[in-house]
Amino acid sequence: MQLSYRVRMILYNILLFAFAFLIVVFCVFQGTSYYYINQAKNNLLSMTQDTTLYIGQEIKASQSSDPLSDRLVANALYLCKNISASENNRVLLFDINGSLIADSVDISNTNLLDTEINLSKTESAPILTLKSINNASIAYYVSPITIDNSTIGYIGFLYPMRELDTFLHVTSVLFAISGIIGLIILVAVTTSFSRHFFQPIKDLTKISKEINNGNFNLTIYYKHSDEIGDLTQAFNGMVTNINNVILQLESERKRLAGVLASIDDGLLAIDKNGNIITSNSYIKTYFNVSNPKTIYDFQYQSFLRDIFDSLKNGKNHISEEIDCNDRNLLLIGSPIREKGFEENYLIIIRNMTAARHLQDEQRKFISSVSHELRTPLTTIIGYTDMLTRRQVADPEIINRSLNTINREGHRLLRLVDNLLNVNKFDKAEFDFKKTNLNIVVLISEVVEQMQIKATQSDIQINYISDELPEILGDYDRLQQVFINILHNAIKYSNNGDIIDVISTLEDDKIVVSIRDYGPGISEIEQTRIFNAFYRVEEDRSRGPEEGGSGLGLYIVKQIVEKHEGKIEIVSQVGEGTNIIVSLPVLSVLLYGGNADEKAEA
Ligand code: ATP
Ligand code: MG
C-alpha cells in the first residue's frame, strides 16, 4: 500500500521525535548513573579508609599467625556489622589471599566477590561492578586495604544503589508520560501543520482534476506570499493562459466550423486509418448517417470507401460523378499533405443535381426554341414558296396565305421578344416606363385583343370589374402580363369553354383573376411553372399551335414583382386554373400606407 505524502511526513516526524527522545533518555540515564556510581565510590572509599584506620594494623599483625586470632575475627565482624548497620549494606572483609575474615550477614557465601577481588589484585585498585539482582541495582565493590603502600587485605561491599533505582524508576515513569504527551502533541501539531501545509497542494490537485475535466474558470486563492504563494500564482497564471489559448482555439474552431457549415459541399477529412477527422453537416444530410466516426460507418456508400482506398494507394486526384438517391453527386478526392503531419485525405461531395437539372432545362429549352423557331419558319417558307412558285392568282388563297405568314411572323416575333426579355431580366437591366394608368382600360384592351384568338376555338372571355383606382405601372409590360396569362388560358381551354376575368379592389390592392376551365395544374407543377424554361410534360401540348418556350409565366412574374405586386395560382387537375395577380394602387406607391387615409388626403 502506498502511503500518502502527508502520512509519511507524520511518520517521519514521529520517528525523528522517538530517536531524539531516546538519545535524551539515554544521556540522562547514563549521566545520572555515572553521578550516583561516583557518589557511591566516594562513599565506599571513605568507608574503606575508615576500615583501614580501625582494623588495618590488626590485620597486618595477624598476617603471620595462622589461624587468625579470635580477637581479630570478632573485631572484624563487629566492624562489618557496624558499617553495615550505618550504611545499610553488606560488608565483607578478606585477608590478603582473598579468604573471608568477616561478613556482616551470616550467610557464608564466601566467593560472592571473587571476580572483583581478583580484578582488584591485578589492578591494585578498587573495583566496582554494578549488578541487578531482583530488579535492584547493587554495586559489587572490592577495595584493597593498604598500609604503607602494601596491601594487607580486601574490603568488599554489596552496596544497594537505592537512590539510583529510585531515580531510574521515577525518571522512567516521567519519561514515559512525557514521551506519550510529547508524541500526542507532536502528532497533533504535525497533523495540523501538515493539513495547513498540504491544503494548497490539495487545492492544486483538486483544481488540476477540474481542469482535466475541462473546467478552466478556476483559480486557487492563497493569501501568503511564500513559496506556496509563488506556486499558486504561477499555477493560476498557467490556467489563465491555457484558458485564453483554449478560448482562442475554440473561437478558431467555431470560425472553421462556420466556414465548413457554410460550404454548400459535403466535406470529409479522413486519416490513413479511416478515422474521420472532420466533416460537415452536409455529409449527414446527404447520406443520412449520424455522427460518423470512421469511413466504414458509411455502410451504404461504398463509393466513399473506394475513393479512400484509391487515395491511400497513392492516387493524387479523383473526380467522379455518381447517381445517389435521385441526386447527381460529384466526388472529388485528394490527399492532404502538411509538413510534419501524416498524410490525410479529403473527400468533397458536391450536389450537382440542380446544375444538371439546369443543364437539362437548357437543353430542353434549346430544342424547344429550335422547334418553336422552326415551326413558324417552315410555315412561312412553305407559303412564300407556294405563292412564288405556283403563281397563285386566287386573291382568297393569297389573302389566307399572307394572313398565315403574318400570324407566324408574329409568333416568331413574340418568341424572340420573350427571349430578349428573359435575357434582360437575367441581367437586371429591364427599363420600365411607369405612368398612372387605369387597369380596367388596360385589361379591356387585352381581352378584346385576345378574344379574336379565343373565338377561333369558340372560347368566350368574360370580363367583369369594379370601379378601380389608378395604378403606377408600365402600360406595355402590364399588357404583356395579361396577354401571356390569357394566352395560356386560351391555349389550355377546351373548345367552347369560357374564361372569367375579374378585377376587384381589396384593401390597397387591385386583384385580377383569370380563371379558365382547362386541364388544371398539379400541386408539384404549380411550384415550377414560374421558373424560366419550365413547361409541363410535352404530351399536354395539343399540337404545334400550343407549343411554347416555358418563358411566358417567368416573364409575367418578373414584371409583376417589378411593380411590387404578387402572382398566385389556384388550380386543381381537371378543374381548371385561376391565376391571380395583385398590384398596389397608386396612392400606396406614392404615399405608402393605408389607401383610405390617402383618399381623404
Ligand atoms: P410561352 O408562354 O413562353 O410561349 P408556355 O406557355 O409553355 O410558353 P408558360 O406560359 O411559362 O410557358 O407556362 C408554363 C407552363 O405552365 C406551360 O407549359 C403549361 O404547361 C403550364 N400552364 C400555364 N398556364 C396554364 C393554364 N392556364 N392551364 C394549364 N396549364 C398551364
Ligand atoms: Mg405561355
Side-chain angles (χ1 to χ4, degrees), residues 131-413:
K131 294 186 182 172
S132 176
I133 290 164
N134 298 333
N135 283 333
S137 305
I138 297 184
Y140 279 51
Y141 182 82
V142 170
S143 173
I145 302 168
T146 322
I147 293 179
D148 300 333
N149 287 332
S150 67
T151 303
I152 50 135
Y154 296 94
I155 185 160
F157 295 93
L158 296 184
Y159 187 82
M161 305 285 283
R162 282 188 203 89
E163 283 172 343
L164 178 65
D165 279 348
T166 313
F167 174 81
L168 288 180
H169 180 70
V170 171
T171 321
S172 302
V173 172
L174 281 178
F175 269 128
I177 292 169
S178 61
I180 289 167
I181 292 172
L183 203 64
I184 290 168
I185 292 171
L186 176 94
V187 170
V189 169
T190 320
T191 309
S192 128
F193 172 75
S194 65
R195 184 174 300 137
H196 169 78
F197 182 79
F198 282 105
Q199 194 54 45
I201 294 173
K202 268 187 165 180
D203 289 348
L204 274 175
T205 314
K206 199 171 133 200
I207 286 188
S208 303
K209 279 182 188 162
E210 286 281 325
I211 289 170
N212 209 19
N213 291 336
N215 184 358
F216 287 91
N217 293 320
L218 294 169
T219 45
I220 307 171
Y221 174 69
Y222 185 80
K223 60 183 175 186
H224 308 290
S225 56
D226 50 18
E227 288 87 343
I228 299 282
D230 291 345
L231 178 66
T232 48
Q233 224 175 333
F235 185 84
N236 286 343
M238 187 182 76
V239 173
T240 312
N241 279 345
I242 292 177
N243 203 11
N244 287 342
V245 171
I246 285 174
L247 287 177
Q248 219 173 320
L249 285 176
E250 185 62 15
S251 86
E252 287 290 324
R253 196 191 63 77
K254 275 188 187 155
R255 209 167 342 146
L256 194 68
V259 171
L260 288 184
S262 64
I263 296 174
D264 284 348
D265 298 333
L267 206 134
L268 204 61
I270 314 147
D271 71 12
K272 65 173 187 158
N273 298 319
N275 298 315
I276 289 170
I277 304 167
T278 189
S279 66
N280 66 0
S281 53
Y282 277 95
I283 289 289
K284 292 157 202 166
T285 328
Y286 282 158
F287 302 130
N288 203 14
V289 176
S290 63
N291 231 351
K293 295 266 180 296
T294 71
I295 189 85
Y296 306 103
D297 288 346
F298 294 96
Q299 283 177 26
Y300 303 107
Q301 288 79 31
S302 57
F303 46 84
L304 289 179
R305 293 195 294 278
D306 293 345
I307 291 187
F308 168 67
D309 289 339
S310 305
L311 290 170
K312 232 174 107 174
N313 291 335
K315 235 181 165 185
N316 258 333
H317 185 80
I318 297 165
S319 172
E320 60 186 51
E321 208 169 319
I322 56 151
D323 284 335
C324 174
N325 299 339
D326 296 333
R327 279 179 303 213
N328 296 92
L329 299 180
L330 174 67
L331 309 174
I332 303 165
S334 58
I336 308 170
R337 292 190 184 115
E338 271 180 279
K339 233 181 171 184
F341 287 93
E342 277 195 328
E343 187 172 88
N344 296 317
Y345 308 103
L346 181 71
I347 300 178
I348 292 171
I349 299 107
R350 187 163 295 160
N351 190 353
M352 301 296 284
T353 318
R356 295 285 169 265
H357 188 69
L358 190 68
Q359 272 179 1
D360 283 352
E361 291 289 314
Q362 281 172 345
R363 218 171 287 135
K364 267 193 223 159
F365 166 73
I366 290 168
S367 78
S368 165
V369 167
S370 323
H371 175 77
E372 284 296 297
L373 289 170
R374 218 170 176 283
T375 316
L377 279 174
T378 320
T379 315
I380 290 167
I381 291 166
Y383 274 94
T384 46
D385 266 3
M386 180 190 78
L387 290 176
T388 49
R389 273 198 219 143
R390 290 192 204 162
Q391 293 179 343
V392 180
D394 185 347
E396 202 188 321
I397 296 177
I398 295 173
N399 205 20
R400 220 172 335 127
S401 302
L402 287 176
N403 270 339
T404 309
I405 292 168
N406 183 276
R407 197 187 63 229
E408 292 302 311
H410 274 101
R411 189 169 154 185
L412 262 181
L413 189 66

Side-chain angles (χ1 to χ4, degrees), residues 17 48 89 129 192 284 292 317 322 369 396 427 456 501 592:
F17 171 78
T48 306
N89 57 9
T129 326
S192 128
K284 292 157 202 166
H317 185 80
I322 56 151
V369 167
E396 202 188 321
K427 288 184 178 167
Q456 292 168 1
V501 182

Side-chain angles (χ1 to χ4, degrees), residues 390-507:
R390 290 192 204 162
Q391 293 179 343
V392 180
D394 185 347
E396 202 188 321
I397 296 177
I398 295 173
N399 205 20
R400 220 172 335 127
S401 302
L402 287 176
N403 270 339
T404 309
I405 292 168
N406 183 276
R407 197 187 63 229
E408 292 302 311
H410 274 101
R411 189 169 154 185
L412 262 181
L413 189 66
R414 204 180 70 240
L415 180 67
V416 173
D417 271 352
N418 274 351
L419 288 172
L420 286 174
N421 283 345
V422 168
N423 196 32
K424 280 184 184 168
F425 281 131
D426 287 348
K427 288 184 178 167
E429 59 182 33
F430 210 95
D431 192 17
F432 284 95
K433 294 180 193 78
K434 286 186 182 172
T435 52
N436 296 359
L437 58 89
N438 187 327
I439 196 88
V440 183
V441 174
L442 184 146
I443 296 173
S444 301
E445 276 181 26
V446 172
V447 169
E448 207 176 307
Q449 193 185 325
M450 297 308 289
Q451 183 62 62
I452 303 164
K453 183 180 166 59
T455 312
Q456 292 168 1
S457 308
D458 198 15
I459 292 166
Q460 177 63 41
I461 307 173
N462 297 329
Y463 176 43
I464 316 168
S465 176
D466 294 341
E467 215 172 290
L468 299 174
E470 288 190 320
I471 64 162
L472 184 69
D474 184 314
Y475 202 90
D476 290 343
R477 296 295 152 221
L478 285 177
Q479 269 207 332
Q480 193 183 354
V481 164
F482 295 107
I483 288 172
N484 279 1
I485 298 172
L486 266 174
H487 193 266
N488 283 346
I490 295 165
K491 191 159 62 169
Y492 294 105
S493 284
N494 302 307
N495 284 6
D497 273 357
I498 54 161
I499 295 168
D500 290 321
V501 182
I502 304 168
S503 56
T504 51
L505 180 68
E506 278 178 26
D507 297 330

